[in-house]
């Protein structure tokens, strides 16, 4: 497979707010490409696929943890923060990845689980063996398991308590996630020091930022519920000051699966910023809800609420990732409806969520896949594509835990989907061979050969989005519509719309999405934009101008959308 010459984005290298315009791609190194035939994806394998990612238009990669780890939680159980897991390669391979990505104007952010370590980490082993030693207070110890009963259990399918007993130290330790992941004790200055050293180590290696895993949970307190405690925010303000001072242009991205206001708190304020970016957990499940309920009111509410963030802050918008589709941040009625639509088989559920990939969730319906992506690429913030979703990869609900949607990337119809030359039995996870999503049908090579494939469609949207910076940088104003199934908003540059500019510019884009499972006509109230001509940004066709009374009627096919530039 060869790819066309790179498209470079002049000035990106100097842009400290690059992350607000970038298109991100979450890539599991373990499952992307295996260079040495041991059945496990690795860094040289990923380097070999950078041309593909560049061709797709990706600006930045997010790598889930690549550190040494016993691998009992997909690497989120770190046993050494200053190395690379041997099966992925070496620190030199990592330097090579950063260099080769940067040569292609592509950035690398890595995952950093700072809330907890693996119980195999040397810090924890020392803390168990020597309670009075230098690591004695690195973790959260207690003589009983009674403290903080209000702190919820996140991995509710596997854990019954947030405390576990350590036989050696004869005390309980606190853990927010699996019991093999003890929480670090942020009340210890030595932990702060150690964590800053880790952050500097990777920034010195050239990474462009971090996804801050499970960041709400750093501190616990007797008053709060252990999510976004004031001291956690204070820690982030300090970390941000250090990063901005010593490493300008690098980003901190919050993984905070919380309600809108709580997530937005991780941006901090203009005067006292915390994270540069935060994942938009509130909006994500509501996209899936709208697709089946054919109603957009919840989406409208949450969009109206979450767009108000400090200048320079950016959302990370996503449809799926390596975890379950979390239903924690919806009410019980919505949750039950979503289980009914999307997780009708018990095997599809895990904890408070659904462990399936995008294409199977949407029953492989092309119109829905296009509608969902069109929304992903036009919401405020940077879109994150989960590896394989660009070709509509399937999942395997017979695998354990969240491995259902972490199977090897499907490159070709050949052995192991072109992921690896290993004996198929040796792969760390089997390739998908289901009726609908078998790798012999769904793979990059065959979609490259089909001009109307999902892959080409997604790439096209990526490029159209990147040609309109307002989609990354602009604000969002919801447009009232006459239909409960139609979502409409205008993405526009800051400030009032410029009156009749001398040159034609796109300072605003009207985005309209029909979530109904039938065609319809809808009237939009576009008072502010009365008289403006509209042009389809994909094909360039002129649409009727917004009438003088601001009431624009459009017809939309089943689950279709428009992106119309407002001239
Ligand atoms: C985050 C990760 C998840 C992991 C958990 C515990 O939520 O996304 O995969 O299991 O943290 O580290
Ligand atoms: Ca390998």
């Amino acid at each position: 497979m060869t790819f066309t010459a790179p498209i470079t984005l002049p000035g990106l290298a100097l842009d400290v707010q690059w992350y607000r315009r970038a298109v991100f791609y979450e890539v599991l190194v373990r499952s992307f490409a295996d260079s040495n035939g041991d059945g496990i994806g690795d860094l040289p394998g990923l380097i070999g696929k950078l041309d593909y990612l560049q061709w797709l238009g990706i600006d930045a990669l997010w790598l889930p943890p690549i550190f040494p780890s016993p691998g009992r939680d997909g690497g989120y159980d770190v046993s050494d923060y200053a190395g690379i897991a041997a099966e992925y390669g070496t620190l030199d391979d990592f330097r090579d990845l950063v260099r080769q990505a940067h040569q292609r104007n592509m950035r690398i952010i890595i995952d950093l689980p700072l809330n907890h370590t693996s119980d195999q980490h040397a810090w924890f082993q020392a803390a168990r063996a020597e309670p009075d030693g230098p690591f004695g207070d690195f973790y959260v110890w207690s003589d009983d398991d009674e403290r903080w009963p209000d702190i919820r259990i996140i991995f509710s399918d596997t854990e019954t308590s947030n405390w576990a007993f350590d036989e050696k130290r004869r005390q309980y330790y606190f853990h927010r996630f699996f019991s093999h992941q003890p929480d670090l004790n942020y009340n210890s200055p030595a932990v702060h020091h150690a964590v800053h050293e880790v952050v500097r180590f990777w920034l010195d290696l050239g990474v462009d930022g971090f996804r801050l895993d499970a960041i709400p949970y750093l501190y616990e307190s007797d008053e709060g519920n252990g999510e976004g405690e004031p001291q956690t925010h204070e820690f982030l303000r300090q970390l941000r000051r250090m990063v901005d001072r010593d490493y300008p242009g690098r980003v901190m991205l919050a993984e905070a699966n919380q309600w809108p206001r709580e997530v937005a708190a991780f941006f901090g304020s203009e005067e006292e910023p915390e994270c540069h970016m935060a994942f938009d957990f509130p909006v994500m499940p509501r996209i899936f809800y709208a697709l089946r309920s054919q109603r957009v009111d919840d989406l409208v509410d949450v969009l109206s609420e979450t767009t108000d963030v400090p200048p320079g802050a950016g959302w990370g918008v996503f449809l799926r990732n390596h975890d379950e589709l979390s239903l924690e941040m919806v009410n019980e009625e919505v949750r039950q409806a979503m289980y009914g639509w999307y997780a009708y088989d018990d095997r599809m559920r895990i904890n408070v969520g659904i462990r399936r990939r995008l294409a199977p969730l949407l029953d492989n319906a092309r119109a829905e896949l296009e509608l969902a992506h069109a929304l992903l690429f036009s919401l405020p913030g940077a879109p994150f594509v989960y590896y394989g979703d660009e070709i509509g990869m399937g999942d395997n609900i017979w695998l354990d835990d969240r491995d259902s949607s972490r199977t090897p990337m499907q490159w070709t119809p050949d052995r192991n989907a072109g992921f690896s030359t290993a004996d198929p039995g040796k792969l760390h996870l089997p390739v998908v061979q289901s009726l609908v999503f078998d790798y012999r049908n769904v793979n990059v090579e065959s979609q490259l050969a089909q001009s109307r494939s999902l892959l080409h469609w997604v790439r096209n949207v990526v490029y159209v989005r990147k040609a309109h910076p307002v989609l990354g940088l602009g604000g969002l104003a919801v447009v009232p519509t006459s239909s409960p199934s139609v979502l409409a908003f205008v993405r526009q540059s800051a400030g009032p719309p410029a009156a009749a500019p001398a040159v034609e510019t796109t300072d605003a884009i009207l985005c309209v999405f029909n979530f109904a499972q039938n065609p319809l006509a809808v009237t939009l109230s576009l008072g502010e934009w009365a008289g403006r001509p509209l042009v389809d940004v994909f094909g360039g066709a002129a649409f009727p101008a917004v009438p003088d009374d601001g009431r624009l009627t459009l017809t939309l096919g089943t689950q279709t959308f428009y992106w119309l530039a407002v001239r």
Side-chain angles (χ1 to χ4, degrees), residues 34-42 87:
D34 171 17
S35 71
N36 61 355
D38 66 354
I40 302 175
D42 43 50
E87 66 266 36

Side-chain angles (χ1 to χ4, degrees), residues 62 73-77 111 113 115-116 154-155 177-178 181 211 213-214 217 255 281 321-324 402 406:
W62 153 28
D73 180 19
Y76 287 89
D77 45 337
D111 227 305
N115 174 67
H116 47 263
I154 296 173
F155 286 163
F177 294 91
F178 289 120
Q181 288 166 317
R211 169 188 181 271
D213 177 68
Y217 313 119
E255 187 225 5
F281 275 96
N321 60 25
H322 67 288
D323 285 326
E324 69 273 28
R402 290 152 292 169
R406 298 177 180 177

Side-chain angles (χ1 to χ4, degrees), residues 13-336:
L14 300 171
D15 180 4
V16 288
Q17 290 205 12
W18 59 273
Y19 55 90
R20 297 181 63 204
R21 272 204 300 255
V23 174
F24 285 76
Y25 188 90
E26 179 187 1
V27 54
L28 291 191
V29 171
R30 196 175 195 77
S31 283
F32 205 55
D34 171 17
S35 71
N36 61 355
D38 66 354
I40 302 175
D42 43 50
L43 292 172
L46 172 57
I47 293 170
K49 298 298 184 185
L50 288 176
D51 285 344
Y52 164 74
L53 295 167
Q54 185 176 24
W55 169 86
L56 188 56
I58 301 303
D59 301 304
L61 304 181
W62 153 28
L63 274 46
I66 46 174
F67 313 106
S69 159
R72 298 175 68 192
D73 180 19
Y76 287 89
D77 45 337
V78 179
S79 54
D80 174 9
Y81 286 106
I84 298 285
E87 66 266 36
Y88 298 155
T90 62
L91 277 171
D92 274 337
D93 291 329
F94 186 77
R95 285 190 192 95
D96 196 27
L97 171 69
V98 172
R99 187 170 47 243
Q100 298 228 30
H102 285 178
Q103 275 167 6
R104 293 169 172 82
N105 253 335
M106 209 183 282
R107 295 173 199 259
I108 305 277
I109 68 169
I110 60 168
D111 227 305
L112 204 49
L114 295 178
N115 174 67
H116 47 263
T117 69
S118 159
D119 59 6
Q120 301 306 307
H121 196 290
W123 297 341
F124 190 69
Q125 292 305 324
R128 300 176 66 201
E130 240 191 302
D132 297 323
F135 298 96
D137 71 345
F138 256 52
Y139 296 86
V140 183
W141 297 95
S142 171
D143 290 333
D144 59 48
D145 57 359
E146 311 280 286
R147 218 169 163 197
W148 305 319
D150 293 341
I151 297 188
R152 73 187 164 105
I153 295 169
I154 296 173
F155 286 163
S156 51
D157 281 3
T158 30
E159 301 297 334
T160 51
S161 165
N162 287 323
W163 293 97
F165 188 67
D166 180 58
E167 299 283 349
K168 196 159 183 181
R169 180 156 160 163
R170 310 295 305 164
Q171 272 190 314
Y172 292 88
Y173 60 88
F174 183 79
H175 61 89
R176 267 332 279 266
F177 294 91
F178 289 120
S179 58
H180 57 75
Q181 288 166 317
D183 272 40
L184 285 164
N185 172 21
Y186 277 81
N187 286 312
S188 155
V191 167
H192 285 219
H193 181 75
V195 162
H196 274 248
E197 291 292 292
V198 168
V199 168
R200 286 182 171 279
F201 176 82
W202 290 99
L203 290 173
D204 288 338
L205 271 177
V207 301
D208 299 288
F210 302 101
R211 169 188 181 271
L212 297 177
D213 177 68
I215 204 67
Y217 313 119
L218 298 190
Y219 280 85
E220 296 75 39
S221 81
D222 291 332
E223 302 75 39
N225 64 356
E227 309 199 4
E229 299 284 348
Q231 291 164 302
T232 298
H233 288 288
E234 178 52 33
F235 174 80
L236 288 171
R237 286 194 283 273
Q238 280 174 21
L239 191 64
R240 170 72 180 259
R241 280 199 291 274
M242 186 276 272
V243 169
D244 279 359
R245 184 189 64 223
D246 295 348
Y247 305 92
R250 320 289 182 93
V251 302
M252 293 159 56
L253 161 60
E255 187 225 5
N257 183 2
Q258 299 200 287
W259 297 99
R261 222 176 296 278
E262 277 89 68
V263 186
F266 286 93
F267 290 125
S269 62
E270 189 170 1
E271 300 72 37
E272 294 193 293
E274 296 180 23
C275 294
H276 305 76
M277 305 183 76
F279 279 120
D280 200 337
F281 275 96
V283 92
M284 181 276 297
R286 290 169 177 85
I287 297 174
F288 291 93
Y289 185 71
L291 282 166
R292 286 291 177 276
S293 68
Q294 307 180 54
R295 296 190 62 93
V296 300
D297 27 3
D298 268 13
L299 212 41
V300 167
D301 287 350
V302 81
L303 286 176
S304 313
E305 193 174 347
T306 53
T307 45
D308 201 14
V309 300
W315 290 104
V317 196
F318 63 101
L319 296 167
R320 292 294 299 108
N321 60 25
H322 67 288
D323 285 326
E324 69 273 28
L325 192 174
S326 163
L327 298 179
E328 279 165 318
M329 300 304 144
V330 295
N331 67 35
E332 188 57 27
E333 189 188 330
V334 170
R335 187 175 306 135
Q336 290 309 325

